[in-house]
C-alpha cells in the first residue's frame, strides 16, 4: 500500500523532465554532499535503533521475566499513558521543526521551545500525571477488579510519561543543529537507565511492580536529560552574544565613540 501511495504521488508530482533531471544530476557532487553529512547515518541510525528498543523491548522483557499476563498489563497501561503524547505532544514537535525552518536564529528557536514547553506542560504533562494518580479509581470501575495491576502500572508510568511529553516537542533539536552525536549519547544513556533497573530488579528477585517503578524512574531521568540536552544546544550559542553586549569594555567604548564633539 505504501508503494502504491508513493507511486501515485510521484505520478502526480513529477514530470518526465524532472525524471530526466534526476538521471542527469551531477552524481559526484551528490556523493560529496553525502560524505560531508556522514553524521546522519553514523549517529542517527544507532540512535534510532536505541529509541525503538526503549519503546518496544520493555514489554517483551517484562513478558519473559514476569509472565505474559504482566506484559499485557504493561502494554495496556503504556497505551493509555502515552495516548496524550501521540495526540498532542508529537504534533507540537512538527510545529518546532516548521519554525526552525523559517528562522535559524537561536534566540527565536529558544523562545519557541520555551513556549512549546509551557504549552505541552498544560495540555499533556499535567493531564498525564492526573491520569496516573487517578488510575486506581478509574480502571477498576471501567475494566474490572482483574485489571488493578494496570492501574498501578499507569501510576508508575505517569511520571515518565510526563517527562516524555516535555521532551517530545524538542526531540529534533540535535538533528536540526547537526549535533547527532549528542542524540546518540543521550539515547545510549536512556537505554542504560531503562533496561538497567529492569534487568537488575529481575535478577534480584524483586516484585514486578517494583521493577516497573524503577524502570519508570530511570525513563523519567532519561527524558529529563534529553530535554536538558536540547535546551542546552539551543541556548549555548545565544549566551555568548548576550555576554558580549553586557561587556563593560564594550559599553564604555560605545559611550566614548558616541560622545558629542564640542
Amino acid at each position: 500500500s505504501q508503494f502504491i501511495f508513493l507511486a501515485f504521488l510521484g505520478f502526480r508530482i513529477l514530470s518526465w523532465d524532472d525524471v530526466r533531471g534526476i538521471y542527469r544530476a551531477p552524481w559526484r557532487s551528490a556523493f560529496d554532499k553525502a560524505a560531508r553529512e556522514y553524521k546522519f547515518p553514523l549517529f542517527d541510525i544507532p540512535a534510532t535503533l536505541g529509541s525503538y528498543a526503549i519503546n518496544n523491548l520493555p514489554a517483551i522483557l517484562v513478558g519473559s521475566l514476569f509472565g505474559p499476563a504482566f506484559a499485557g498489563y504493561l502494554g495496556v497501561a503504556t497505551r493509555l499513558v502515552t495516548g496524550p503524547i501521540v495526540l498532542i505532544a508529537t504534533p507540537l514537535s512538527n510545529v518546532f521543526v516548521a519554525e526552525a525552518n523559517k528562522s535559524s536564529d537561536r534566540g527565536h528557536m529558544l523562545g519557541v521551545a520555551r513556549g512549546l514547553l509551557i504549552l505541552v506542560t498544560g495540555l499533556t504533562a499535567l493531564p498525564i500525571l492526573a491520569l496516573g494518580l487517578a488510575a486506581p479509581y478509574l480502571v477498576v470501575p471501567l475494566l474490572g477488579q482483574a485489571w488493578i495491576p494496570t492501574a498501578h502500572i499507569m501510576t508508575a508510568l505517569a511520571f515518565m510519561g510526563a517527562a516524555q511529553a516535555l521532551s517530545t516537542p524538542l526531540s529534533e533539536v540535535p538533528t536540526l543543529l547537526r549535533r547527532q552525536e549528542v542524540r546518540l549519547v543521550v539515547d545510549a544513556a536512556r537505554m542504560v537507565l531503562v533496561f538497567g533497573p529492569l534487568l537488575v530488579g529481575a535478577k534480584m528477585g524483586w516484585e514486578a511492580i517494583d521493577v516497573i517503578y524503577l524502570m519508570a524512574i530511570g525513563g523519567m531521568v532519561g527524558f529529563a536529560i534529553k530535554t536538558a540536552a536540547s535546551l542546552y544546544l539551543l541556548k549555548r550559542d545565544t549566551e555568548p552574544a548576550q555576554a558580549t553586549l553586557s561587556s563593560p569594555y564594550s559599553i564604555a567604548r560605545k559611550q566614548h565613540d558616541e560622545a558629542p564633539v564640542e
Side-chain angles (χ1 to χ4, degrees):
S1 61
Q2 293 293 328
F3 177 78
I4 295 174
F5 178 68
L6 292 175
F8 173 76
L9 289 180
F11 177 77
R12 295 298 300 269
I13 295 174
L14 297 177
S15 64
W16 285 112
D17 292 335
D18 296 328
V19 175
R20 284 193 294 267
I22 295 173
Y23 175 75
R24 297 172 182 174
W27 292 103
R28 178 172 295 180
S29 62
F31 286 128
D32 292 340
K33 179 66 174 178
R36 289 194 299 269
E37 301 294 345
Y38 70 94
K39 284 186 176 182
F40 283 95
L42 183 63
F43 297 119
D44 266 2
I45 292 176
T48 301
L49 292 176
S51 296
Y52 277 120
I54 293 171
N55 292 332
N56 298 292
L57 284 184
I60 298 175
L61 291 176
V62 167
S64 63
L65 295 172
F66 302 105
F70 211 86
Y73 295 140
L74 176 62
V76 173
T78 302
R79 292 288 184 180
L80 294 175
V81 170
T82 58
I85 299 174
V86 176
L87 294 175
I88 300 174
T90 300
L92 289 179
S93 66
N94 298 329
V95 173
F96 181 82
V97 172
E99 289 295 324
N101 288 329
K102 292 179 182 178
S103 174
S104 60
D105 179 71
R106 297 292 178 86
H108 172 72
M109 294 171 66
L110 184 60
V112 173
R114 288 171 175 169
L116 289 177
L117 286 177
I118 295 173
L119 186 63
V120 80
T121 298
L123 295 179
T124 308
L126 292 179
I128 288 176
L129 290 175
L131 177 63
L133 295 176
Y137 307 99
L138 298 176
V139 170
V140 174
L142 294 175
L143 301 178
Q145 186 67 30
W147 289 90
I148 191 63
T150 299
H152 295 316
I153 296 174
M154 288 178 63
T155 303
L157 296 180
F159 294 95
M160 184 178 71
Q164 181 181 358
L166 292 175
S167 70
T168 299
L170 308 182
S171 59
E172 297 299 326
V173 168
T175 301
L176 291 171
L177 301 183
R178 299 178 182 274
R179 296 299 305 273
Q180 293 87 349
E181 70 278 6
V182 175
R183 180 189 174 191
L184 178 59
V185 171
V186 170
D187 283 341
R190 289 175 56 216
M191 290 183 66
V192 174
L193 290 169
V194 169
F195 294 117
L198 182 60
L199 298 176
V200 171
K203 183 70 174 179
M204 298 294 292
W206 296 342
E207 293 292 332
I209 188 62
D210 296 332
V211 175
I212 295 297
Y213 266 99
L214 288 176
M215 183 187 71
I217 293 173
M220 179 185 66
V221 174
F223 282 118
I225 293 174
K226 186 176 181 180
T227 304
S230 297
L231 290 174
Y232 171 77
L233 291 176
L234 289 174
K235 192 176 181 181
R236 190 187 60 174
D237 289 346
T238 61
E239 288 181 342
Q242 295 172 355
T244 302
L245 291 176
S246 61
S247 173
Y249 174 75
S250 300
I251 295 174
R253 185 175 62 184
K254 181 178 179 181
Q255 291 175 347
H256 174 75
D257 293 339
E258 294 178 355
V261 178
E262 297 181 353

